[in-house]
């Protein structure tokens, strides 16, 4: 029930609160009576007497009993309020009440992942208590059917419980985590991450009274990177079972201790089944002279070939190039590009020769070989790239020439070592017919390398008359030139985004809703939204339609819409923030960081509570870091201390220290020098047209989604990508006969 300010109830309650605050630890004050109190007195003398005696203290209305009633509610939201209330009270009585409610069989929501996660967060400050530690241990280790771990929140729940235990630094809590590591599985992985996040002050707290370490624990000590573990690992090299010896030797090698080298060499002299792979790994980690020969032997073995490829990637060496080349046709199809990349990373004249051979003999690996040459330092690789676009075959083979031009551009962007003839050939390609793949390659290279301005190359462009292939290429090239070049595309994007003529594949949903779907050129020009997070001159209604359409422009449009939050669009923003696309959810969170509405911080706080995708949680923390409201602190502290994702914790620490998150939203940074090269190849040759000018979105490692459209020959080159793993999602191809198919 709500009371208007000034009524006896409101004034009485305010007086009681004030009296309680001033009285401090004195006896509890009687609850304020309403104007209807005399009626209650008339109904029975017993009730009147109880009220006069102060039998209902303020704590009874606002403290643990109320929270207990909330916990027994059938309403999930009420149960969550009860958990949070008990956690905020934090007394021994409150903690005991929460534990009792969670342990009660058949209690409402006792197995609900959200309830359990909220309880783990509330109990984390009390993890040193035996009863709390036992509950956290169960949340860490119990199976999926028992605790709903099959829920998307299962991983978050396990990781939060593990971090709560690790933060104590206490022997018994660490013992729970060590036992989980020994048992393995998802609980062991969560425990290992938690201890790495909060390393113990003394390794003895981890090892306890163990005289011999289990192999799983020995392996973890190698991953932990703590040199204090060497003393515990060295004795394991002698005696004991072979599994313990191997685990200890591997761990010591990862720690850089050469005590494992003698053991590995002994195993190399007297090979035993199952020992050769760990021996080769130890030699690679320690940089032993025998490492290359051991890895080459694995590459020549049918059973050890994939392990040999992994070790070749781990320790590139020019001596491995012949072995990688011999293994290439014997590897599974999906592993062959990895082998080509490993040849390029090995470097040297022989690597360049083998990559040229791949280009000539294996057309399905041509893109991988060209990319390897483009990113491989040295004069041999530069000459090989120049030969692709300027050699005898280039004049007759247009596909090879374009491949070489793209490799030259990538080499110029990544290594600043482009072949001498590249600029001349790119400018010649600009003269190719409009809409052709040749001209698209020329436009991309000229813009990306700063030879031409993107707007000048595109020229006049409207939905009815436009060289869309040039727009696609110029927009992607502008990514390499920074914020100013992207902002220059804003007028073009504003003009194209207002019309749906020439709708691209996959835009049917927007058309059905009554809003015109974005033109393919508008999708490309949408990179301007990287430089204009607020949407620039685009109408708010159009941004909302683009955000809800689900295409490549949706994430950046959602970010811009959230930055324009008001009472009219708040409902649409909330639906996007709760939607099924995590990339869109993340961009809404980023936009709310610049939202003019002060209560948007509450939207971000609620979104964080039960978000299962770590990329979205990172975006939420980034959004909160741009807010100034006091409500942000509680979420940031929880993220810093208990979020299972290392990236989330790091961002929260930075935000709490006062770091400005705005730099993360800039379209290009000093580290954004990578290039993503994707060749779209249809599964069915009859559908070759579906690869031409295909829209897509590329999600960069920093979480920003870049709308892109492929060249007419189905190739995507996207520059200015930060280090890390990127993801590309192609828009659905239109059925035959549809516009733009």
């Amino acid at each position: 029930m709500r009371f208007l300010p000034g009524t006896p109830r409101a004034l009485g309650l305010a007086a009681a609160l004030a009296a309680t605050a001033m009285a401090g630890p004195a006896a509890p004050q009687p609850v304020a009576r309403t104007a209807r109190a005399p009626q209650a007195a008339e109904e029975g003398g017993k009730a009147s007497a109880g009220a006069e005696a102060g039998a209902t203290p303020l704590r009874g209305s606002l403290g643990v009993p109320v929270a207990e009633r909330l916990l027994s509610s059938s309403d999930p939201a009420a149960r969550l309020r009860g958990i949070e209330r008990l956690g905020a009270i934090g007394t021994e009585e409150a903690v005991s009440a929460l534990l009792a409610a969670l342990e009660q069989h058949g209690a409402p929501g006792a197995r609900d992942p959200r309830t359990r996660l909220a309880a783990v967060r509330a109990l984390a400050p009390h993890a040193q208590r035996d009863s709390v530690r036992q509950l956290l241990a169960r949340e860490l280790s119990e199976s999926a059917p028992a605790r709903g771990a099959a829920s998307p929140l299962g991983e978050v729940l396990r990781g939060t419980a593990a971090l709560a235990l690790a933060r104590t630094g206490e022997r018994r809590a660490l013992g729970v985590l060590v036992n989980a590591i020994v048992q393995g599985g998802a609980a062991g992985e969560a425990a290992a991450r938690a201890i790495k996040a909060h390393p113990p002050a003394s390794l003895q707290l981890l090892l306890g009274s163990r005289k011999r370490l289990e192999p799983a624990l020995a392996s973890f000590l190698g991953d932990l990177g703590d040199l204090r573990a060497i003393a515990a690992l060295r004795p394991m090299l002698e005696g004991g079972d072979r599994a313990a010896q191997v685990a200890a030797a591997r761990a010591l090698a990862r720690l850089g201790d050469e005590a494992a080298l003698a053991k590995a060499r002994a195993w190399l002299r007297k090979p035993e089944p199952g020992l050769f792979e760990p021996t080769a790994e130890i030699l690679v980690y320690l940089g032993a002279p025998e490492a290359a020969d051991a890895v080459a032997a694995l590459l020549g073995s049918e059973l050890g070939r994939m392990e040999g490829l992994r070790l070749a990637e781990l320790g590139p060496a020019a001596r491995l190039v012949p072995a990688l080349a011999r293994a290439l046709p014997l590897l599974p199809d999906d592993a062959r590009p990895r082998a080509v990349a490993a040849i390029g990373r090995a470097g040297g004249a022989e690597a360049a020769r083998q990559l040229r051979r791949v280009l000539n003999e294996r057309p399905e690996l041509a893109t991988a070989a060209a990319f390897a040459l483009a990113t491989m330092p040295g004069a041999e690789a530069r000459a090989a790239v120049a030969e692709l676009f300027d050699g005898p075959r280039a004049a007759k083979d247009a596909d090879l020439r374009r491949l070489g031009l793209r490799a030259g551009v990538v080499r110029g962007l990544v290594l600043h070592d482009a072949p001498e003839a590249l600029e001349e050939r790119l400018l010649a390609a600009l003269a190719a017919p409009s809409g052709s793949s040749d001209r698209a390659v020329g436009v991309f290279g000229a813009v990306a390398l700063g030879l031409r301005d993107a707007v000048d190359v595109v020229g006049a462009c409207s939905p009815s008359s436009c060289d869309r292939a040039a727009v696609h290429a110029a927009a992607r090239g502008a990514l390499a030139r920074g914020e100013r070049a992207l902002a220059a595309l804003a007028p073009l994007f504003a003009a194209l985004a207002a019309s749906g003529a020439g709708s691209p594949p996959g835009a049917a949903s927007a058309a059905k809703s009554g809003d015109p779907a974005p033109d393919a050129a508008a999708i490309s020009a949408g990179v301007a939204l990287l430089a204009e997070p607020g949407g620039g001159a685009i109408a708010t209604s159009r941004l909302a339609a683009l955000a809800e359409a689900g295409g490549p422009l949706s994430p950046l449009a959602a970010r811009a819409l959230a930055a324009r939050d008001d009472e009219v669009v708040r409902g649409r923003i909330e639906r996007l923030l709760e939607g099924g696309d995590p990339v869109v959810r993340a961009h809404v969170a980023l936009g709310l960081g610049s939202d003019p509405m002060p209560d948007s911080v509450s939207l971000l706080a609620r979104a964080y509570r039960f978000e299962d995708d770590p990329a979205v949680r990172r975006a939420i923390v980034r959004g909160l870091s741009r807010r100034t409201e006091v409500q942000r602190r509680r979420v940031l502290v929880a993220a810093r201390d208990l979020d299972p994702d290392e990236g989330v914790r790091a961002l929260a620490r930075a935000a709490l220290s006062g770091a400005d998150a705005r730099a993360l939203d800039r379209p290009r940074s000093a580290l954004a020098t990578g290039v993503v090269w994707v060749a779209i190849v249809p599964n069915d040759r009859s559908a070759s047209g579906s690869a031409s000018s295909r829209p897509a979105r590329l999600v960069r490692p920093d979480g920003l989604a870049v709308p892109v459209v492929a060249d007419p020959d189905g190739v995507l080159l996207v520059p200015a990508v930060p280090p890390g793993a990127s993801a590309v999602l192609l828009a659905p191809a239109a059925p035959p006969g549809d516009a733009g198919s």
Side-chain angles (χ1 to χ4, degrees):
M1 179 178 295
R2 297 180 62 188
F3 294 88
L4 295 174
T7 62
R9 171 70 176 183
L11 294 174
L13 181 57
L17 289 173
T20 303
M22 291 185 291
Q29 300 297 314
V31 70
R33 290 191 290 266
T34 69
R36 295 177 55 112
Q39 276 186 314
E42 293 172 2
E43 292 173 2
K46 186 175 180 180
S48 176
E52 291 295 333
T56 309
L58 183 62
R59 186 187 62 80
S61 296
L62 303 178
V64 174
V66 171
E68 289 176 320
R69 290 197 295 274
L70 290 171
L71 283 174
S72 63
S73 171
S74 59
D75 179 12
R79 294 197 298 269
L80 292 173
R81 289 199 303 273
I83 291 171
E84 291 170 354
R85 183 184 291 262
L86 290 174
I89 294 172
T91 63
E92 184 174 350
E93 180 186 9
V95 172
S96 298
L98 180 52
L99 288 169
L102 293 171
E103 297 300 332
Q104 182 180 351
H105 294 289
R111 296 298 178 260
D112 174 42
R114 293 190 171 203
T115 300
R116 309 297 296 190
L117 179 56
V120 166
R121 288 170 174 163
L123 292 170
H126 312 282
Q128 291 181 330
R129 290 183 51 168
D130 287 343
S131 53
V132 174
R133 184 176 60 254
Q134 292 167 10
L135 180 138
L136 294 174
R138 287 196 297 274
E139 294 297 350
L140 172 65
S141 61
E142 284 193 347
S143 61
R147 286 289 185 262
S151 158
L153 281 177
E155 184 177 352
V156 180
L157 181 52
R158 282 192 300 271
T160 304
L163 283 167
L165 291 166
R167 289 179 68 240
T168 67
E170 187 189 36
R171 182 188 301 272
R172 288 173 294 181
L174 292 173
V176 171
L177 297 174
V178 169
N179 289 336
I181 290 172
V182 172
Q183 293 296 322
E189 294 172 1
R193 290 192 295 268
I195 295 178
K196 290 176 185 177
H198 298 284
S202 167
L203 278 186
Q204 199 57 41
L205 294 172
L206 283 182
L207 306 181
S209 59
R210 288 175 167 83
K211 296 182 179 179
R212 304 289 294 180
L213 304 184
E214 295 89 342
L217 182 55
S219 297
F220 168 71
L221 291 177
D223 293 336
L224 185 60
D226 192 329
L227 297 181
R228 296 175 297 176
I230 291 175
L233 291 168
R234 281 180 174 175
M236 296 178 64
L237 294 176
E238 305 299 334
D241 60 18
R242 185 51 54 85
Q245 290 182 14
V246 170
R250 276 177 153 162
L252 287 168
R254 293 191 175 198
L255 294 171
D257 184 55
E258 293 194 352
L261 190 55
K263 179 63 70 175
R265 284 171 171 162
W267 290 336
L268 200 60
R269 288 192 297 269
K270 297 180 180 179
E272 298 180 25
L275 275 182
F276 196 74
E277 291 183 11
T279 299
E281 179 181 331
I282 293 166
L283 295 172
V284 168
Y285 268 108
L286 294 175
E290 306 94 330
D293 291 337
V295 174
L298 280 175
L299 287 167
S301 164
E302 183 177 357
L303 296 179
R305 191 165 290 126
M306 290 301 297
E307 178 66 7
L309 176 58
R310 183 184 73 85
L311 294 177
E313 294 170 324
L314 184 64
R319 291 171 55 192
L320 288 174
V321 170
L324 285 165
R326 289 192 297 270
L328 184 60
L330 304 175
L331 288 165
D333 290 346
D334 58 350
R336 291 176 186 173
R338 289 174 52 195
V340 172
I343 292 173
R345 290 183 62 195
E350 179 62 16
R353 190 180 74 81
Q354 291 293 347
L355 291 172
R356 281 175 167 170
R357 182 180 176 185
V358 171
L359 283 164
N360 293 331
E361 299 178 2
R362 295 188 173 276
E364 75 279 6
L365 295 174
T367 298
F371 189 79
L373 285 169
T375 54
M376 188 175 84
E380 298 91 348
R382 184 175 62 249
V385 170
E387 184 180 358
L388 289 176
F389 65 80
D390 204 28
R393 293 177 51 199
K396 301 177 182 178
D397 190 338
D399 291 339
L400 182 67
R401 184 174 63 252
R402 288 194 298 271
L403 186 72
L405 288 173
R406 287 175 171 129
V409 174
V410 171
R411 189 173 186 85
L413 292 172
V414 176
L415 300 178
H416 304 288
D417 185 31
E420 291 182 3
L422 179 65
E423 180 176 339
E424 179 184 351
R425 296 293 182 267
L426 286 174
L427 296 179
L430 281 174
S434 296
S436 66
S437 296
D438 286 348
R439 185 164 194 270
V441 171
V443 168
F444 171 79
V447 174
L449 295 177
L451 307 177
R452 291 289 187 273
D453 183 76
V455 176
D456 292 340
V457 171
V458 171
C461 182
S462 67
S464 59
S465 175
C466 187
D467 182 355
R468 287 175 173 76
V471 175
H472 307 331
R476 285 185 279 108
L479 291 166
R481 307 312 303 169
E483 188 169 358
R484 182 175 298 179
L486 294 173
L489 293 171
L492 174 65
F493 174 58
L496 295 173
S499 172
S503 303
S509 59
K512 290 178 181 178
S513 67
D515 285 300
D519 180 272
I523 291 176
S524 288
V527 296
L529 291 175
L530 290 169
E532 295 191 346
I538 308 300
T540 300
S541 59
R542 186 61 176 147
L543 283 175
L546 292 172
E548 295 167 346
L553 277 174
S554 289
L556 291 181
R559 182 178 71 160
L561 182 68
R564 298 184 182 184
D565 181 23
D566 59 22
E567 294 181 357
V568 176
V569 299
R570 171 59 68 89
R572 301 176 85 165
I573 292 172
E574 290 178 337
R575 287 193 293 274
L576 290 168
L577 190 59
E578 298 169 358
D581 188 340
V583 178
V584 172
R585 295 203 303 271
H587 283 70
V588 173
L590 292 175
L592 289 174
S594 304
D595 184 355
M597 303 284 282
D599 64 338
S600 63
V601 68
S602 299
L603 285 182
L604 289 168
R606 287 199 300 271
Y608 176 83
R609 293 169 73 198
F610 304 117
E611 176 56 60
D612 58 85
D613 191 295
V616 181
R617 297 201 304 276
R618 291 182 211 126
I620 292 171
V621 170
R622 285 170 58 182
L624 286 170
S625 68
R626 301 184 66 170
R627 307 300 307 185
T628 58
E629 295 86 355
V630 69
Q631 296 97 314
R632 76 178 197 140
R633 180 170 178 80
R634 181 180 177 186
V635 181
L636 290 175
V637 169
R640 178 197 64 189
D641 294 342
L642 294 172
D643 196 285
D645 182 73
E646 182 180 359
V648 174
R649 296 196 303 273
L651 287 168
R653 282 195 300 270
L656 289 168
S657 68
D660 189 353
R662 287 171 175 79
L664 293 171
D665 293 335
R666 299 186 70 83
R668 189 173 185 271
S669 67
L671 293 177
T673 58
V675 179
V676 172
W677 189 337
V678 177
I680 304 172
V681 180
N683 294 325
D684 186 350
R685 291 184 179 180
S686 64
S688 58
S690 64
S692 178
S693 301
R694 185 75 170 267
R697 78 179 181 201
L698 180 137
V699 182
R700 305 187 328 185
D702 60 1
L704 283 179
V706 182
V708 291
V709 180
D711 287 335
D713 57 357
V715 175
L716 269 170
L717 275 178
V718 186
V721 178
S726 299
V728 177
L729 177 65
L730 299 179
D738 277 9
S741 64

